[in-house]
């Protein structure tokens, strides 16, 4: 809800004519009428679960390059070959005749990946075998190295290239044999460059990998100079903030204060030339990464090209932001795609992000032009059950209460988790879709007659960490400076709170768990339904993130040593080896003042998990391998 300009709908009639959904001549948001005096109607554009294959689950094979781009200075790339047991897509898995159905046992996918459009004699990028079985899991990734050499079929190009995987799987006795194909049109192989940063996305785990400048990322670079980067910052106003930057001295005090909170990213709501000095200062003197804002005129491709030309060699740049809530505004489907194509024609070295506001309105169409999907679920202080400021109720077919299809109230933190889960679900329901990197935009404001109050610091941490638990690979809050309670004043309470968490999430060791390492695995604790727990395994360590996403305390008053405790069992499947669990808590990197954990018998235990409390715990294992 970034300064929603409803007036625009009526003033610019040309836009109305191109709007998507039903009743484009009525005042709508997310396809629904929000003013009183109109009937409720189906807004359309829902992504629904596809029909399940009546004959049972299928083998669904997908292929993608590990990274969203490769450079000709690199010797090797990787493909991800993803084998999933899908209820919707793919071909039947060869079964042993005795059982008549797939037994969950080991299979091998023998495959070749070729470059489309290459001369037929020389189009093979790699041939290999992916081992998989679906005993206890429904998805497995196999990383397949391939050569990036000019002697092969692959040549550098500013455009993405297409690859095709063809493969077969035979039953254990060889009596049945099924073929599979998969395609990717996302292999980007670029000439390296000497000025400015390069940022690529990790298609295996969703994170940002950044090369260049001073931008604060993880500590160690990979062979190609990329470091894991978890962007954590604010959308930042021109008026009342960046407008004050006129030279290096004013930049030092104004931007220096922002960086001093511990944030490592910013989405300046400003462009060239008015913020040239601020952008240069950020790149030269701070650790801040820049997400460059193109939203104001993203449909004016001449303007987009001018701005990208000015921005693309910045050492601080980590992404572009093209469209703001195109789904809320019912913008033409082609608009974000055209913006993305214009950006890429000048700068294919950085990803393009789109903010979605709606819960379920033409998801696929509005994300076609996005490399990164941001969602701005702002659930704090909304009233989802009363009449909106426009005088209507809000539900799936009517109204706008500031947070589309959210529940708010005691469900507010869950609203954030639910949205990220739903976006991921839509991707899994769309054949041929590879999941995109997600960013959550934490609410850090109130007002506009939708949001009665700011979140508290505890709510801010809970929303941020719940988002991370549900796959967010960056956090960009709306909006800095944060207006204080007294008109005309600003408050540093929430920027300081976010900066505190940012210092933990964006540095080692935590960023090394979150980015380029693993996706979060949820760990539900049935007896504690508000507890949101996820883990990330890395070598002989396990990061566990715990959020009480509810407004009730989980507290046991009996502190006798032998009295029962709340416990989170660590499943054997994530132990360092099948017969050895973790041995101890290596570090409590966040929330130790609220949550006191003990660890024994493969369980994390505590007596008190207060409402909205958050914790990050690293478990470690002593093993003969690591002992001297
Ligand atoms: C599946 O895993 C279980 C437990 O690890 C094992 O007992 C069973 O034999 C496995 N089944 C197949 C078909 O591999
Ligand atoms: C690559 O695939 C896209 C569709 O995804 C198609 O439009 C394009 O023509 C293909 N290019 C080549 C060289 O095959
Ligand atoms: C990559 O190149 C090396 C030699 O440069 C060769 O040994 C290897 O087989 C190649 N790998 C693939 C997958 O083509
Ligand atoms: C399965 O079929 C493919 C061709 O479709 C063939 O190349 C392969 O050898 C066959 N495998 C077995 C085990 O029959
Ligand atoms: C800021 O300082 C840099 C050197 O650190 C200098 O190149 C630049 O011209 C200065 N900018 C302004 C606006 O004074
Ligand atoms: C589009 O951008 C160009 C370049 O900045 C500008 O000259 C033109 O007036 C803009 N067009 C519209 C319709 O705003
Ligand atoms: C929501 O608004 C309704 C009236 O429209 C009111 O009865 C209810 O108490 C409000 N709920 C909250 C949480 O403010
Ligand atoms: C939404 O509320 C309107 C007005 O009460 C009602 O007509 C409509 O059926 C409701 N839609 C849903 C999906 O409940
Ligand atoms: C605004 O006032 C409320 C109520 O007094 C208080 O809880 C909140 O912390 C204040 N917010 C800021 C940003 O100072
Ligand atoms: C606390 O727990 C201990 C051990 O289970 C038990 O013996 C004791 O009675 C409990 N105290 C209370 C007040 O329930
Ligand atoms: C665990 O299993 C490994 C073999 O998988 C074995 O070498 C080792 O001795 C076992 N450790 C314990 C503590 O049982």
């Amino acid at each position: 809800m970034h300064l929603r300009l409803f007036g625009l709908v009526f003033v610019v009639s040309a836009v109305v004519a191109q709007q998507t959904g039903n009743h484009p001549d009525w005042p709508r948001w997310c396809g629904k009428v929000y003013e009183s005096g109109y009937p409720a109607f189906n807004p359309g554009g829902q992504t629904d679960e596809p029909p399940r294959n009546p004959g049972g689950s299928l083998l669904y094979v997908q292929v993608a390059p590990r990274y969203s781009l490769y450079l000709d200075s690199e010797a090797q790339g990787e493909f991800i070959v993803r084998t999933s047991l899908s209820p919707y897509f793919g071909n039947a898995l060869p079964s042993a005749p005795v059982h008549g159905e797939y037994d969950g046992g080991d299979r091998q996918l023998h495959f070749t990946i070729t470059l489309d459009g290459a001369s037929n004699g020389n189009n093979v990028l790699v041939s290999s075998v992916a081992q998989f079985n679906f005993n206890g899991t429904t998805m497995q990734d196999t990383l397949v190295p391939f050569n990036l050499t000019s002697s092969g079929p692959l040549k550098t190009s500013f455009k993405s290239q297409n690859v095709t995987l063809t493969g077969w799987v035979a039953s254990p006795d060889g009596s049945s044999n099924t073929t599979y194909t998969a395609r990717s049109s996302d292999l980007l192989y670029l000439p390296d460059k000497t000025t400015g940063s390069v940022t690529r996305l990790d298609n295996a785990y969703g994170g940002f990998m950044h090369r260049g400048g001073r931008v604060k990322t993880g500590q160690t670079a990979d062979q190609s100079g990329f470091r894991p980067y978890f962007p954590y910052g604010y959308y930042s106003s021109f008026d009342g903030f960046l407008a004050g930057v006129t030279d290096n001295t004013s930049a030092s005090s104004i931007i220096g204060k922002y960086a001093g909170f511990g944030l490592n990213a910013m989405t300046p709501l400003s462009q060239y030339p008015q913020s040239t000095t601020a952008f240069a200062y950020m790149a030269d003197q701070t650790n801040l990464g820049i997400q460059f804002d193109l939203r104001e005129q993203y449909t004016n491709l001449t303007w987009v090209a001018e701005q990208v030309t000015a921005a693309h060699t910045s050492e601080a740049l980590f992404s572009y932001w093209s469209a703001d809530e195109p789904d809320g505004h019912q913008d033409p489907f082609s608009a974000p795609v055209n913006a993305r194509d214009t950006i890429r024609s000048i700068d294919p070295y950085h990803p393009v992000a789109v903010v979605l506001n709606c819960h379920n309105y033409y998801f696929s169409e509005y994300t076609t032009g996005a490399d990164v999907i941001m969602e701005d679920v702002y659930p704090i202080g909304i009233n989802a059950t009363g009449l909106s400021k426009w005088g209507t109720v809000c539900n799936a077919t009517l109204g706008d209460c500031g947070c589309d299809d959210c529940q708010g109230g005691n469900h507010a933190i869950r609203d954030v988790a639910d949205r990220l889960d739903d976006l991921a679900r839509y991707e899994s329901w769309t054949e041929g879709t590879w999941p995109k990197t997600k960013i959550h935009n934490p609410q850090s404001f109130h007002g506009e007659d939708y949001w009665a109050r700011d979140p508290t610091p505890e709510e801010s941490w809970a929303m941020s960490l719940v988002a991370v638990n549900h796959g967010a690979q960056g956090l960009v809050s709306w909006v800095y400076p944060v207006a204080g309670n007294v008109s005309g004043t600003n408050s540093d309470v929430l920027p300081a709170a976010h900066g505190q968490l940012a210092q933990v999430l964006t540095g080692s060791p935590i960023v090394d768990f979150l980015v380029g390492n693993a996706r979060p695995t949820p760990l539900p604790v049935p007896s504690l339904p508000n507890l949101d727990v996820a883990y990330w395994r890395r070598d002989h360590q396990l990061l566990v993130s715990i959020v009480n996403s509810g407004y009730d305390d989980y507290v046991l008053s009996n502190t006798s040593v032998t009295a029962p405790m709340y416990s989170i069992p660590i499943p054997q499947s994530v132990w360092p080896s099948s017969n050895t669990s973790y041995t101890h808590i290596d570090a409590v990197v966040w929330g130790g003042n609220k949550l006191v954990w003990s660890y024994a018998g493969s369980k994390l235990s505590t007596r008190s998990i207060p409402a909205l409390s958050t914790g990050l715990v690293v478990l470690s294992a002593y093993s003969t391998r690591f002992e001297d």
Side-chain angles (χ1 to χ4, degrees):
M1 222 69 44
H2 301 152
L3 296 181
R4 195 186 306 169
L5 302 172
F6 284 107
L8 225 58
V9 173
F10 307 106
V11 176
V12 188
S13 56
V15 171
V16 171
Q18 294 174 41
Q19 281 195 5
T20 60
N22 302 319
H23 300 292
D25 46 333
W26 291 352
R28 295 170 309 144
W29 185 258
C30 297
K32 302 184 254 187
V33 281
Y34 56 84
E35 289 190 353
S36 58
Y38 296 89
F41 59 86
N42 181 352
Q46 294 90 356
T47 304
D48 294 322
E49 184 176 0
R52 289 171 177 257
N53 179 49
S57 291
L58 303 166
L59 174 63
Y60 180 34
V61 179
Q62 291 174 278
V63 64
R66 168 75 193 269
Y67 293 119
S68 59
L69 63 85
Y70 286 101
L71 300 170
D72 66 358
S73 53
E74 299 181 275
Q76 225 173 36
E78 275 177 331
F79 286 112
I80 308 162
V81 174
R82 178 163 292 176
T83 42
S84 313
L85 192 65
S86 168
Y88 322 115
F89 312 124
N91 292 334
L93 257 168
S95 56
V98 210
H99 303 290
E101 60 186 41
Y102 171 63
D103 53 8
D106 292 335
R107 292 289 190 280
Q108 295 183 325
L109 173 70
H110 299 252
F111 63 87
T112 297
I113 299 173
T114 55
L115 185 71
D116 293 8
S119 65
N120 238 4
N122 181 28
N123 65 352
V124 175
L125 293 170
V126 60
S127 294
S128 189
V129 177
Q131 304 271 357
F132 63 93
N133 80 42
F134 297 124
N135 192 5
T137 180
T138 55
M139 193 191 95
Q140 278 171 310
D141 283 350
T142 304
L143 296 178
V144 186
F146 69 101
N147 286 340
L148 293 170
T149 50
S150 52
S151 59
L154 193 59
K155 310 291 177 219
T156 59
S157 168
F158 260 38
K159 290 200 163 54
S160 293
Q161 306 186 49
N162 299 347
V163 299
T164 302
L165 175 151
T166 49
W168 56 268
V169 176
S171 60
D173 66 353
S175 63
S176 62
N177 181 358
T178 310
T179 60
Y180 302 84
T181 58
R183 291 199 164 77
S184 168
S185 40
D186 294 324
L187 178 60
L188 189 54
Y189 184 46
L190 296 167
D192 203 350
K193 58 174 193 159
T194 51
T195 54
S197 62
V198 180
T199 308
R200 61 187 181 186
L201 302 169
D202 175 3
N203 286 322
Y205 308 119
F208 290 83
M209 302 295 289
H210 183 83
R211 189 189 82 174
R214 298 167 43 98
V215 174
K216 190 178 157 221
T217 67
Q219 309 302 310
T220 43
D222 65 18
Q223 286 173 344
S224 309
F226 290 89
R227 296 167 198 270
Y229 178 49
F230 186 96
Y232 197 148
Y234 269 86
Y235 296 91
S236 296
S237 303
F238 182 71
D239 294 333
F241 180 53
L242 291 171
V245 176
T246 53
D247 55 18
N248 285 330
T249 309
S250 50
S252 162
S253 66
I254 291 171
I255 297 171
K257 176 182 172 181
Y258 174 98
F261 290 120
L263 304 166
N264 76 341
M266 188 195 287
T267 305
L269 301 171
S270 183
Q271 291 79 27
Y272 290 94
Q274 63 269 30
S275 286
T276 303
T277 302
F279 297 146
Y281 181 85
M282 278 190 249
D284 296 343
Q285 303 292 334
T286 75
N287 293 324
L288 298 168
I290 295 175
Q291 183 182 57
F292 194 82
D293 169 18
L294 295 163
R295 68 173 177 147
E296 292 294 353
Q297 298 189 53
Y298 89 100
T299 57
N300 180 342
L301 301 180
T302 311
W303 181 84
V304 168
E306 281 174 4
Q307 290 297 324
V308 173
T309 300
H312 79 286
T313 52
S314 167
E315 287 285 346
L317 183 68
F318 77 90
S319 116
Y320 295 95
W321 171 32
S322 60
D324 183 29
E325 307 178 330
D327 53 346
H329 293 288
Q330 301 107 193
D331 285 354
F333 299 140
S334 58
V337 177
N338 293 339
R340 193 270 319 272
D341 290 348
T342 300
I343 296 165
R344 275 209 192 151
S345 70
I346 299 161
D347 180 8
Y349 295 89
H350 298 94
V352 178
V354 168
V355 173
L356 291 190
N357 184 259
C358 308
H359 173 228
N360 193 354
Y361 185 67
Y362 293 104
F363 172 81
S364 178
E365 288 81 352
Y366 283 119
T367 55
T368 301
D371 303 314
V372 176
I373 300 171
M374 308 205 276
E375 46 74 16
D376 55 0
V377 172
Y378 301 144
I380 303 294
I382 61 165
N383 188 335
T385 55
L387 291 183
S388 77
K389 67 173 177 181
W390 306 98
T392 72
V393 300
C394 293
N395 61 32
T397 59
L398 186 68
D400 169 20
C401 288
C403 193
D404 194 32
D405 292 347
C406 296
Q407 295 179 42
N410 287 347
H411 195 84
I413 311 298
R414 306 271 358 132
D415 282 330
V416 172
D418 291 350
R419 180 65 55 88
L420 284 160
D421 289 352
D422 285 342
L423 300 184
R425 199 166 287 133
Y426 305 153
E427 291 177 323
S428 76
W429 285 347
T430 311
E431 189 166 13
T433 297
W434 195 271
K436 291 181 176 175
T437 298
K438 313 287 191 310
I439 285 180
H440 173 58
N441 296 158
Q443 178 181 348
S444 190
F445 68 98
H446 68 277
E448 291 182 48
D449 293 329
Y450 287 116
W451 300 279
R453 64 177 180 88
D454 286 342
T456 63
E458 284 73 19
E459 286 172 326
S460 302
W461 294 324
M463 286 192 287
S464 296
L465 283 172
V466 137
V468 171
N469 287 1
H470 291 258
Q473 286 282 347
L475 295 161
V476 185
S477 295
W478 186 267
V479 56
Y480 187 85
V482 177
N485 281 339
V486 177
S487 169
T489 65
N490 295 326
S491 166
D492 291 338
V493 171
L494 294 179
H498 280 295
Q500 213 181 324
L501 181 57
Q503 289 175 57
V504 173
L505 296 188
T506 64
S508 278
I510 300 307
V511 73
D512 304 315
F513 285 94
L514 300 182
V515 182
N517 170 63
R519 287 185 186 271
T521 305
L523 190 53
V525 183
S527 58
L528 302 172
N530 288 342
L531 212 58
D532 194 277
V533 184
Y535 64 79
W536 295 254
R537 187 173 157 186
R538 183 169 195 265
D539 300 331
H540 64 298
Q541 292 193 314
L542 194 76
L543 170 66
V544 186
S545 165
I546 304 113
V547 179
N548 182 345
S549 64
Y551 287 75
D552 295 320
D553 294 333
Y554 292 135
V555 174
L556 297 170
S557 55
N558 190 337
T559 55
S560 158
V561 194
T562 50
M565 300 176 85
Y566 296 126
S567 65
I568 301 173
I570 306 302
Q572 191 173 4
S573 56
V574 295
W575 292 1
S577 68
S578 62
N579 57 2
T580 320
S581 184
Y582 300 92
T583 48
H584 62 288
I585 293 176
D586 193 67
V588 178
V589 293
W590 176 259
N593 56 336
K594 285 269 181 72
L595 296 166
V596 180
W597 295 102
S598 60
Y599 179 80
S602 287
K603 286 178 184 158
L604 263 175
S605 302
T606 186
R607 288 215 162 75
S608 172
I609 313 176
L612 300 171
S613 58
T614 45
L616 292 170
V617 179
V618 178
L619 298 176
S620 216
Y622 296 124
S623 80
T624 47
R625 208 152 56 86
F626 299 101
E627 277 168 8
D628 277 325

